[in-house]
Each structure stands twice: as structure tokens, then as C-alpha cells.
Amino acid sequence: MNRFDLVGFRTLLRREILRYVRRPRNTFLPPMITNVLYFAVFGVVLGGRIDEIAGFRYILFILPGLIVLGSISNAFENASFSIFHGRWNEYIHEVITSPLSHTSMVLAYIFAAALRGLLVGAIIAGVGVVFLWLTGTPLGVAQPFYFAAFMLVIALLFASFGVVGGLWARDFDYLTVLNQFIIRPLVFFGGVFYSLDVIPEPFKTLSYLNPMIYMVNGVRYGMLSYADVDPDLALVVLTGLTLVVIAVDVYLFKEGYGLVD
Amino acid sequence: MAEAIRVRDLRKNYGDVQALDGLSLTVEEGEFFGLLGPNGAGKTTFINVLVGLVRETGGEAEVFGFDVETDYREARDRIGLAPQEFNVDRFFPIREVLCHKAGYHGIDHEEAQRRADEALKTVGIYEKRDTRFDWLSGGMKRRFMLARALVSDPELLILDEPTAGVDVQLRHDLWDIINRMNDEGTTILLTTHYIEEAERLCDRVAIVDSGRKVEVASPDELMSRGTDTVDVGLADPPTVAPTFDYDGVVESRMAEGRLEVVTSRGGALVPDLLRDLEAMGHEVTDLDIRRASLEEVFVDMTRTDSSVGGSSEAEEVVQ
């Protein structure tokens, strides 16, 4: 990327980040409140009646999954909403009629959305830490590299999926369908609230087809050094998948899919 | 002189509908070029091809020698667009929107802020710089659309109906700004429904219809191709208009007690006309010549084009 394009890229990235940073009541407060409820109900009220899972108190076991759920939902939502809203109101024309390269456009949308996912993840982690402290549960990050790597990759991956969603959507209902009927169920059945060891066959085997299993367990491995799947393999596959989806995003922008007539 | 815009055989199909049907035209650098045509003529589609919002089905389009598809970055960097629709980022105050637009053109933040302020002052809404677009009045919104097009200091300014729905004062303000840009060397491509606008501002005008070019000429040339009307007052007007049997007379008719002679020869016809009227025993009390307006020429050309279903002959003439 030459200097000329770098300025444009930075401008779009800044615009995208400012859009959500300036609206914390819409972007950061809702996931915080939702996760206070998750930790209070699942972690404290119900968790106190649930035996340890894999040697961890329940509130500690669900923390990585809730961080993943919040991060990927917000990364996806940010990219898909920003692009679709821009298309709907046509102000995305400011970007696509500019001399920015397609790669710069895509990376700016993805990085900004991934950052929002990571920030929401950090907020949820903060909420979790408070509840762990209140319940006297010790916390550490057992595998910092894996934790950081998985968080980064899944935030980028879902931001990239969000770009596809934003280009594909023809109506706001499409975004609701993607988030509520596809992503959220997959995450809930992705081992956020349980270990795969506690569910019977064939559901256990079927669960391995759910990509969320690898994300939740990757982050869980980073925090607790425990996972139902091989974290190295999961990291490699997810990184590869992320690169593929980013390439698809750039291709769609080049083709003008959903953007030009 | 270099070419700011060059399109050849440009085509765009939407299913069975041909929005552009082999449009070819050239706009010279520094020119003030008008695009006139009825609704659905393909004017906006043409503009959208230039800025990358529409992919052509066939043909070529270049801006300052750069192909709008293969060299899109170079082409778009030279264009400032004020579209018809208010497609403005509503999340940010207008000054920031301008800074973003400048930034997309590779202008660093500090310089972008300076240019944003300058553009807002140019169009007269600097005091509204911290307001979001939705809170501007209709006239201010139109001014802002122009400011956004100016902020990247474009070599080619494309204005799609820039004065649609604005009052007379604002229209004149916008004309002044656009004229000043053109005087400073910016090439202007203007589409408008206001014929007067094209007549007053444009060096040359292209009349397009059904996605094709019907004619390209200066407003004066176009008007000279229309018919003039010699309006004659008679002391004792007849009920039936006299006939004149010589070249250049298209029609003679009585209208509200006055004789109207429609002619393609304008004032040159008057001596013959006066002599014949005198020979017929009529006393002429006054006489007025009404030149064909660009609007009349425009209506004639687009109506004729639609009715005969082709303009290839006209295109050959102006190629």
C-alpha cells in the first residue's frame, strides 16, 4: 500500500472507529448489561448449584465463552451494520466513489469492526472479573499467547463475515436473521455454557461440525489451559479461514457486489 | 486541448432496458459542459459510470485519459461529485464529513481540516460546521453537496441537478461559485432540468435521449437551429392568416388578433414579409421577433428523436 492509500485507509478506519466510540450507549452499554445478567444468573444463581466442570467453577468455565459470544457478535454486527446502513442511505458512495483501493476499504471496515469486538470482549472480561472477585474465584490467563491469538483471529473472522453480511443484506431483517438465527444459536451450541464431555452422542460428535466449538475452546484454552479440541489445529484452521474470508471480501468489493449497479 | 471526459459507444443495460445505448461524447479540459435530457434519458447513469457507481455493459469511458474501471483510482481522484440525492454520512457533523472525504483522497488530516473549512466558507455554511447534515435546511443541504464535491479540489466537477428545488437567490449563488471554479480551470459537467441554467452557464451542451446523444453544440448554435417567430401587429387583422410562399416560412397563423409567422430564417425574412403584407393591403402597426429558446429546441429534438426512434443521423453530424 503506498502512502497515498495509507492516508485514505487511516481516514476510513478512524471514521469507522469514531462511529461506535461516540455512541457507547448503543455499542458498549448493551453487551455490558447483558453480560452482567449472564454472570448474575448463570454464574452466580445457577452456577452455585452446578458442580465444577473439568475442575473449574462454573462461573469461571463460562467466562471465555461469554467473551467469545460478545466479541464475535459485535465484530459481525459492526461491519454488517456499517456497510448495510451506508448502502441503505447511500452514503457509502462517499467511500466507493473515492480513489481508495478495494483492499484498503475492506481492511478499514474489518479492522474497525474487529477492534469493537475486542473492546466488547474486554468489557465482558471486566464484568467477569468483578463477578469472580465477588464469588471469591481466582482467575489468571494461563496461555497468554493463545488467548490473544484466538481473540484476534475470531474478531477478524467475524468482522470479515460481517462485511459479507453487509453486502448481501437487502433489508434490515437480513441482519437480524444472520445474528439471531445463525450466529447466536451456533455460539450457544458451541460449548459456551457446557463442556462437550457432558453431552451424549451423537450430539457430541455433531458439535465438532460447529466452528464455534473451536473458537470458544481456543479462548478457553488461552484462559484456563483447558480445551475440548486441539488448540493448535483450531488456531491454524481459523487463521486460514479468516484469510480466505478477507480475500472474499476484497473480491466482492472489486466486483461491486451489493455496491454498484 | 486535453480531454477531461471521453466516452465511446457506452452501453448499460438493466435487463431489457437500455439506460445507455451507445453514448459517445468528449468533454474538453476546462470546459463547462451541460447534459440535457428528459427524465430517464441516461444522464445520471452516465455520471455514475464515470464515478464507479454503475458498471457499463459495453464501451469505454475515460477521465483525463484514465479508464474508469482499470485505472479507477486515478480517475476518481480527479473527480468531485455533487449527486442529485442527499447521500451524506449522517453520523458526523458536516465538517468531519468533509474531512473524511478529503482523507479518502489521500489528503492528510490537518490539510483536510483546512480544506473543509475553506469549502464550507466558499458555499456559505461555515457557521454550521458542527451541525449534522440532517439538521441543515434544504438550501444548506444543497450548498453542502457542492462543498463536499469541492473539498478534494477536483479537476473535474460533476454536478447532477445541483440547483434542483432551490430558490432563485441560492441558485444564483451556486451559479457564481460554479462559474468561479470554471474560471479557475476546473472542468464542469452539469446535468440540469433548468434550460436557463444550461443556456447561461455552459460552453457546450449535449442533448441526450433514450441513452443516446442527440446533439452536441453551444447553446447559441442550438438556438440558431430552432425556428423563430415573427410577431406582427396589423391595423385590421384578418380572421385567416395570409400565406407566404417562399423559403424559410414554416407556418403562418393568427393568434389573439396578431399574425405569427414561424420561420427558420429569423430576421432575414422580415423585409420580404413586410413587402408582401403591404402588397396584400395590410397596414403593419408593430413587429417583434421572438428567438427560439433552448427549451423549445430541446423539446423539439427530444420529441423528434423519440417519435422517429433514432438519432444515428444526428450523431454522425456531431461526431
Side-chain angles (χ1 to χ4, degrees):
Chain A
M1 193 185 297
N2 58 35
R3 184 186 175 281
F4 166 75
D5 210 21
L6 187 60
V7 174
F9 164 76
R10 277 205 316 248
T11 304
L12 181 55
L13 179 66
R14 184 171 177 276
R15 185 260 167 210
E16 285 294 300
I17 292 171
L18 285 177
R19 189 189 66 80
Y20 60 74
V21 166
R22 288 184 185 170
R23 284 163 188 79
R25 279 185 302 182
N26 296 332
T27 52
F28 295 128
L29 196 58
M32 194 171 88
I33 292 172
T34 303
N35 280 275
V36 166
L37 297 175
Y38 278 144
F39 281 113
V41 175
F42 293 109
V44 179
V45 178
L46 294 178
R49 299 169 183 273
I50 296 174
D51 286 338
E52 288 185 344
I53 296 182
F56 300 100
R57 293 184 67 175
Y58 189 63
I59 191 169
L60 183 57
F61 185 82
I62 64 173
L63 174 59
L66 291 175
I67 291 174
V68 171
L69 174 60
S71 291
I72 65 174
S73 297
N74 278 270
F76 180 88
E77 184 184 318
N78 194 83
S80 59
F81 174 82
S82 191
I83 289 177
F84 178 70
H85 193 261
R87 289 173 54 220
W88 185 262
N89 292 290
E90 297 189 339
Y91 63 79
I92 202 169
H93 292 178
E94 289 179 2
V95 176
I96 59 176
T97 61
S98 77
L100 272 170
S101 71
H102 298 120
T103 306
S104 300
M105 294 179 200
V106 167
L107 291 182
Y109 282 116
I110 290 174
F111 287 174
L115 179 64
R116 175 170 160 187
L118 292 173
L119 289 172
V120 168
I123 288 169
I124 296 169
V127 171
V129 166
V130 170
F131 274 90
L132 290 172
W133 177 73
L134 289 173
T135 56
T137 310
L139 170 72
V141 178
Q143 305 280 351
F145 166 76
Y146 283 94
F147 178 70
F150 270 104
M151 284 303 298
L152 187 63
V153 167
I154 63 173
L156 288 170
L157 175 59
F158 275 82
S160 310
F161 277 133
V163 171
V164 178
L167 293 174
W168 168 74
R170 298 290 176 265
D171 202 329
F172 281 101
D173 290 345
Y174 283 56
L175 300 183
T176 308
V177 166
L178 288 170
N179 212 349
Q180 297 295 332
F181 298 118
I182 298 176
I183 294 176
R184 207 157 281 250
L186 282 175
V187 176
F188 270 72
F189 286 113
V192 173
F193 296 102
Y194 55 83
S195 166
L196 291 185
D197 289 339
V198 303
I199 56 172
E201 292 291 357
F203 301 109
K204 182 177 178 180
T205 302
L206 281 174
S207 292
Y208 286 107
L209 297 174
N210 181 353
M212 303 299 174
I213 287 285
Y214 303 92
M215 298 175 208
V216 171
N217 276 278
V219 174
R220 184 171 286 142
Y221 181 77
M223 293 188 79
L224 309 178
S225 212
Y226 169 82
D228 292 327
V229 299
D230 177 358
D232 291 317
L233 180 64
L235 189 57
V236 169
V237 172
L238 290 172
T239 303
L241 183 60
T242 302
L243 294 174
V244 169
V245 181
I246 290 174
V248 169
D249 291 344
V250 173
Y251 173 76
L252 293 175
F253 261 73
K254 276 185 179 161
E255 289 300 303
Y257 175 78
L259 294 170
V260 306
D261 291 330
Chain B
M1 193 175 275
E3 292 166 347
I5 300 172
R6 181 177 183 277
V7 295
R8 285 286 171 270
D9 196 27
L10 201 59
R11 295 175 187 280
K12 177 62 187 177
N13 300 345
Y14 295 100
D16 294 336
V17 178
Q18 287 199 307
L20 294 175
D21 187 13
L23 181 70
S24 298
L25 58 83
T26 300
V27 178
E28 305 293 341
E29 191 176 344
E31 194 171 19
F32 203 132
F33 194 90
L35 212 52
L36 292 177
N39 287 329
K43 304 185 296 294
T44 300
T45 304
F46 167 61
I47 287 171
N48 285 344
V49 169
L50 297 181
V51 299
L53 292 175
V54 166
R55 287 278 162 82
E56 73 264 27
T57 310
E60 297 171 8
E62 291 178 356
V63 172
F64 291 101
F66 295 104
D67 186 276
V68 297
E69 274 205 17
T70 55
D71 308 319
Y72 71 95
R73 293 182 58 196
E74 286 82 359
R76 290 179 200 171
D77 195 32
R78 287 161 175 78
I79 298 175
L81 169 67
Q84 208 172 325
E85 306 298 332
F86 291 142
N87 61 349
V88 177
D89 189 344
R90 317 292 171 110
F91 282 105
F92 294 89
I94 55 173
R95 183 172 184 259
E96 275 189 81
V97 174
L98 295 186
C99 289
H100 294 157
K101 184 61 181 166
Y104 302 152
H105 281 255
I107 298 162
D108 67 46
H109 192 58
E110 208 168 295
E111 173 65 8
Q113 286 180 319
R114 191 192 66 73
R115 289 203 193 186
D117 289 345
E118 189 182 305
L120 290 171
K121 285 173 186 168
T122 300
V123 301
I125 54 171
Y126 179 69
E127 72 284 359
K128 295 288 182 184
R129 60 192 177 281
D130 296 323
T131 306
R132 281 197 275 161
F133 184 78
D134 282 335
W135 300 108
L136 298 180
S137 67
M140 286 178 181
K141 284 177 177 170
R142 274 286 158 220
R143 288 176 190 268
F144 177 77
M145 298 306 284
L146 183 56
R148 195 181 63 176
L150 299 179
V151 76
S152 60
D153 196 13
E155 294 168 54
L156 169 62
L157 188 58
I158 300 179
L159 308 165
D160 193 3
E161 307 279 355
T163 58
V166 306
D167 63 36
V168 177
Q169 180 59 50
L170 175 55
R171 188 175 306 163
H172 281 81
D173 286 352
L174 295 176
W175 285 352
D176 288 344
I177 296 165
I178 299 165
N179 257 331
R180 203 161 58 237
M181 294 289 297
N182 185 237
D183 290 343
E184 290 167 2
T186 307
T187 309
I188 314 275
L189 175 65
L190 170 84
T191 75
T192 181
H193 276 125
Y194 299 111
I195 306 293
E196 183 201 355
E197 195 162 81
E199 211 171 316
R200 290 178 62 144
L201 299 174
C202 297
D203 300 323
R204 284 195 304 154
V205 171
I207 294 179
V208 294
D209 193 16
S210 305
R212 287 169 297 185
K213 179 179 66 186
V214 178
E215 185 63 287
V216 176
S218 71
D220 280 344
E221 282 173 338
L222 285 175
M223 285 186 287
S224 71
R225 293 178 200 181
T227 52
D228 300 333
T229 303
V230 181
D231 185 9
V232 186
L234 299 173
D236 185 16
T239 50
V240 179
T243 54
F244 304 95
D245 190 20
Y246 36 79
D247 283 349
V249 175
V250 176
E251 182 189 2
S252 66
R253 62 188 176 225
M254 295 303 297
E256 296 177 5
R258 296 178 66 84
L259 172 65
E260 288 184 347
V261 181
V262 181
T263 167
S264 57
R265 286 172 54 204
L269 184 86
V270 172
D272 291 342
L273 189 66
L274 290 175
R275 191 189 58 235
D276 283 7
L277 283 170
E278 195 177 340
M280 291 173 196
H282 294 294
E283 183 188 342
V284 175
T285 56
D286 64 280
L287 183 144
D288 186 29
I289 301 173
R290 290 202 307 270
R291 288 203 66 195
S293 68
L294 187 56
E295 183 164 337
E296 286 164 335
V297 175
F298 168 75
V299 169
D300 277 350
M301 282 189 167
T302 51
R303 185 174 50 208
T304 303
D305 182 57
S306 303
S307 61
V308 300
S311 64
S312 56
E313 193 178 328
E315 282 199 75
E316 280 170 20
V317 173
V318 297
Q319 283 295 319

